[in-house]
Amino acid sequence: MHAWPDPSVPAVAGTPVPLKLYDTADQRVKAVDTTGDANGEVGMYVCGITPYDFAHIGNLRTAVLAWLFAWSTGRRFLMRVEDLDTGRTADGAEARQLADLAALGLDWDGETVRQSERTARYAAALERLDVYECYCTRREILA
């Protein structure tokens, strides 16, 4: 189970973190429900880093929120590396970003999963589906 980042904060695992975020669309602060859908159906929270450069505040914010949601609801927090765009992947970026997250006190359950190591699994899943090519233009799809 994850360690609470601030030992002075009395927290109980499985107790949702009271969270409010600023909604830029409505320009209001809103409470966020971290417990899942209407039935409480959330199996895990996943952080998917993109190893193209250094981590930025958006990456870190997303990771911290997902970690808090997982911790507060007793669910697993998994780390996934979105490294399929090999043309943009920077040497050492994955290690730097994972080290940045660890420096913030974030930990994750299980091994880090790399999307590039799962392509055979995705291909096998596609084989089981009825798929067809779409020749629609983007304009036709949007209509």
Side-chain angles (χ1 to χ4, degrees):
M1 188 36 88
H2 310 289
W4 187 253
D6 182 355
S8 67
V9 175
V12 177
T15 303
V17 173
L19 179 67
K20 293 182 179 182
L21 296 176
Y22 182 75
D23 184 334
T24 55
D26 292 342
Q27 297 183 350
R28 295 183 330 184
V29 175
K30 294 182 177 179
V32 176
D33 179 10
T34 63
T35 58
D37 65 14
N39 299 317
E41 299 289 329
V42 175
M44 68 192 78
Y45 290 92
V46 177
C47 177
I49 63 169
T50 53
Y52 306 142
D53 204 349
F54 290 92
H56 57 75
I57 193 67
N59 303 125
L60 301 174
R61 178 201 62 218
T62 301
V64 168
L65 289 174
W67 183 87
L68 285 170
F69 292 162
W71 182 88
S72 71
T73 58
R75 290 172 172 88
R76 298 185 319 144
F77 177 65
L78 305 179
M79 184 59 61
R80 181 178 64 213
V81 178
E82 307 289 345
D83 61 347
L84 292 176
D85 188 352
T86 56
R88 293 180 58 200
T89 302
D91 290 338
E94 176 186 334
R96 283 192 308 268
Q97 288 186 21
L98 293 175
D100 289 344
L101 295 173
L104 290 174
L106 275 63
D107 56 346
W108 43 93
D109 300 300
E111 296 293 318
T112 299
V113 173
R114 287 163 194 80
Q115 297 292 67
S116 62
E117 296 172 355
R118 300 167 64 91
T119 55
R121 178 182 240 176
Y122 301 143
L126 284 174
E127 291 291 326
R128 295 189 304 270
L129 299 174
D130 292 327
V131 296
Y132 60 92
E133 288 189 61
C134 176
Y135 298 100
C136 300
T137 65
R138 291 184 184 271
R139 182 171 290 164
E140 291 169 329
I141 291 170
L142 290 173

